[in-house]
Amino acid sequence: MSPSVTTPNVCLFTSPGTHDSQWDGWTGDAYHFQGEGTGAREQVMMRGNRTVAEHAADGRALRLFSTAPGPAVRYLGAYRLAQDIPYVQVALPVVGAPDQPHRTGIVFRLLPEDGTPAPTGVLAVEPLRPETVVRERDLDLPFRPGPGDERGRARTVIEDSAEQLLRGYSTHLRSLGHDVRRYTVVPAHELVPLPIDLVDHSTNDIVVCLGSVTRPYVRAALGALVDLPRFFDPRPRRVMLMPSRPRPDLADLCGRNDIAVIWQERDGRFERAEPADLTQT
């Protein structure tokens, strides 16, 4: 973002596919442009972000330039901020630290000014939708790194463990004739897809898989299991899939929140405990 000091313009530079522009791209009617703020900082409506948000009131035009692919800078035209939904917030990763909590990011929605043609040769991205979208995903394609994570990074050891465990469990269920599927959900007016590890339609279970049986991962999975079942009807039962049996306090946490636990024994067998069996007396 570069406000001009001599003309009523704000120059915006987009590099789709890079970390600072990972949400940038053309939706078919709007250009999504990621806000300013890198590293571990929250993106807030200050400095360049505020300049974009207030460009119309300040009498400035937004001039969009593309710096990718290739070394040349290409002018994409004059844009204005959408009035209905000028921006949305997303979760952005901390660069190089996939295990750290995500920070808040801003994605502006830019509309071409009259006479500005639709850009060509730029990255196409999903539009912002007014309705929730549920999509089925290939069972054999990993979710990790998850949607919105730092692009190009390798999976962590714990993420690899979770994928292997989930693949083994889905193979086991399919061998029993179960109808198992994976999904992503994009809630209405949100951009970040929510990955759903597994839904067993034969038993109406929604499964969140962990690569580690430690408290931070169990609590994160608990949050996911509070969030995700609301997108399915009938509402599925909630299940955590773990690489080993949880210690008593974490088992009690699951049981008191009406969550069943499945874990894999050393011989490869999968064991299951229902909420009532997990709760400590």
Side-chain angles (χ1 to χ4, degrees), residues 44-75:
V44 294
M45 207 56 71
M46 297 175 60
R47 297 181 292 276
N49 294 331
R50 184 174 179 179
T51 299
V52 174
E54 298 179 355
H55 81 96
D58 293 340
R60 293 173 178 263
L62 301 177
R63 304 286 179 178
L64 186 62
F65 297 84
S66 175
T67 61
V73 175
R74 184 161 65 99
Y75 178 55

Side-chain angles (χ1 to χ4, degrees), residues 46-278:
M46 297 175 60
R47 297 181 292 276
N49 294 331
R50 184 174 179 179
T51 299
V52 174
E54 298 179 355
H55 81 96
D58 293 340
R60 293 173 178 263
L62 301 177
R63 304 286 179 178
L64 186 62
F65 297 84
S66 175
T67 61
V73 175
R74 184 161 65 99
Y75 178 55
L76 298 181
Y79 285 73
R80 67 184 186 277
L81 204 58
Q83 291 187 348
D84 57 344
I85 304 178
Y87 67 90
V88 292
Q89 292 183 317
V90 296
L92 292 177
V94 176
V95 181
D99 290 332
Q100 287 194 26
H102 282 39
R103 58 200 175 95
T104 300
I106 295 170
V107 177
F108 292 104
R109 300 180 65 242
L110 311 180
L111 301 177
E113 286 283 15
D114 293 341
T116 298
T120 59
V122 298
L123 184 69
V125 295
E126 286 287 323
L128 191 69
R129 298 184 183 276
E131 74 284 349
T132 295
V133 178
V134 180
R135 292 193 180 97
E136 188 173 348
R137 288 286 302 273
D138 191 322
L139 274 169
D140 296 321
L141 291 180
F143 278 126
R144 300 169 178 85
D149 280 355
E150 182 182 349
R151 294 191 178 185
R153 75 167 176 85
R155 290 200 302 268
T156 65
V157 172
I158 290 176
E159 287 172 338
D160 270 335
S161 297
E163 286 293 344
Q164 292 172 12
L165 177 61
L166 187 63
R167 184 165 298 185
Y169 184 59
S170 64
T171 299
H172 165 69
L173 291 180
R174 283 184 283 180
S175 72
L176 299 176
H178 289 213
D179 177 10
V180 292
R181 307 182 194 184
R182 301 184 86 173
Y183 296 91
T184 55
V185 174
V186 184
H189 303 297
E190 295 278 341
L191 287 180
V192 182
L194 306 177
I196 297 179
D197 284 339
L198 201 71
V199 175
D200 184 346
H201 289 283
S202 297
T203 57
N204 197 31
D205 286 342
I206 185 169
V207 180
V208 171
C209 184
L210 291 70
S212 169
V213 192
T214 55
R215 190 175 301 275
Y217 288 93
V218 172
R219 292 176 71 175
L222 176 62
L225 286 171
V226 170
D227 186 12
L228 299 174
R230 61 195 171 104
F231 299 110
F232 294 88
D233 185 24
R235 194 177 182 90
R237 297 184 302 172
R238 301 178 298 171
V239 178
M240 279 192 206
L241 175 61
M242 302 180 176
S244 61
R245 184 168 189 157
R247 60 182 187 269
D249 180 63
L250 294 178
D252 183 65
L253 174 63
C254 293
R256 291 181 186 275
N257 285 279
D258 198 30
I259 294 172
V261 172
I262 297 172
W263 66 91
Q264 190 168 28
E265 297 285 4
R266 291 185 178 181
D267 61 5
R269 290 181 299 109
F270 289 98
E271 296 288 344
R272 176 172 179 142
E274 298 299 334
D277 301 322
L278 295 168

Side-chain angles (χ1 to χ4, degrees), residues 35-47:
E36 182 179 71
T38 59
R41 293 184 301 165
E42 295 276 291
Q43 291 190 354
V44 294
M45 207 56 71
M46 297 175 60
R47 297 181 292 276

